[in-house]
Amino acid sequence: MHAHLTTDDIVSYMKLTFGGDVKEGHNWGERGIFYNPGNLLPKGVYILTFKEKDGANDKASNTNRSGVYRLNLGVGRSAFLERFGEVPKRPSAGEIVLTGHDFTTLDTIMPHPVYGWMNWIGVLNPSPETFETLKPIIAVAVDLAAKKFATRQRQLRLRQGGD
């Protein structure tokens, strides 16, 4: 057993746990899991993403280190507040949220360094133990994505002249 889960471990968990409702895909050059039963929306709704290399606007976690990735998860306001007490202010373009966290620390659940203000969290190379604590939060994230999916599907039908 390795010290941390791989992205493939997490993808397998998502597919086994949530079945055909979740799809693996790529967007903005990142691998992610989307809620998209029946592939009814062009891309579906993000549940989680993996940051596997630094980008122009997201270098805070130093994911260019060998073998380091960040699991990113949109958790909703109440779950975010429950864990961190407050939602950080939106950072200026190219900046990170000001929370006092060291975003390069492995295996620690933190606000997402760029999207924390949108109730996203991140963890670098989660251990199996840390991932266990994330499972209920992941279930909430899937539920949130399902609600967004239903809303987007209704909007799409309305635009197409359906009921």
Side-chain angles (χ1 to χ4, degrees), residues 39-51:
N39 295 314
L40 297 174
L41 293 177
K43 292 189 177 183
V45 177
Y46 276 117
I47 299 169
L48 61 81
T49 65
F50 301 106
K51 181 81 172 164

Side-chain angles (χ1 to χ4, degrees), residues 25-32 34 43 46 49:
H26 289 80
N27 200 18
W28 301 98
E30 291 184 359
R31 184 178 182 195
F34 302 84
K43 292 189 177 183
Y46 276 117
T49 65

Side-chain angles (χ1 to χ4, degrees), residues 133-153:
T133 70
L134 284 174
K135 286 180 178 179
I137 299 169
I138 289 170
V140 168
V142 170
D143 188 52
L144 287 170
K147 289 175 180 161
K148 288 180 187 174
F149 177 87
T151 299
R152 289 185 190 166
Q153 213 180 359

Side-chain angles (χ1 to χ4, degrees), residues 54-131:
D54 288 349
N57 294 314
D58 187 351
K59 297 179 174 121
S61 296
N62 191 16
T63 52
N64 283 347
R65 291 176 284 170
S66 178
V68 174
Y69 73 93
R70 186 179 65 225
L71 168 62
N72 307 299
L73 183 62
V75 299
R77 187 171 179 82
S78 60
F80 192 94
L81 288 171
E82 187 176 310
R83 181 167 286 273
F84 300 110
E86 65 181 352
V87 176
K89 288 182 174 43
R90 182 178 185 170
S92 300
E95 300 294 318
I96 62 172
V97 295
L98 300 176
T99 63
H101 290 89
D102 175 354
F103 295 112
T104 64
T105 304
L106 300 178
D107 196 33
T108 301
I109 300 168
M110 296 179 260
H112 186 289
V114 177
Y115 299 115
W117 65 276
M118 294 174 64
N119 305 305
W120 277 71
I121 62 172
V123 58
L124 299 176
N125 294 29
S127 67
E129 296 79 17
T130 298
F131 192 72

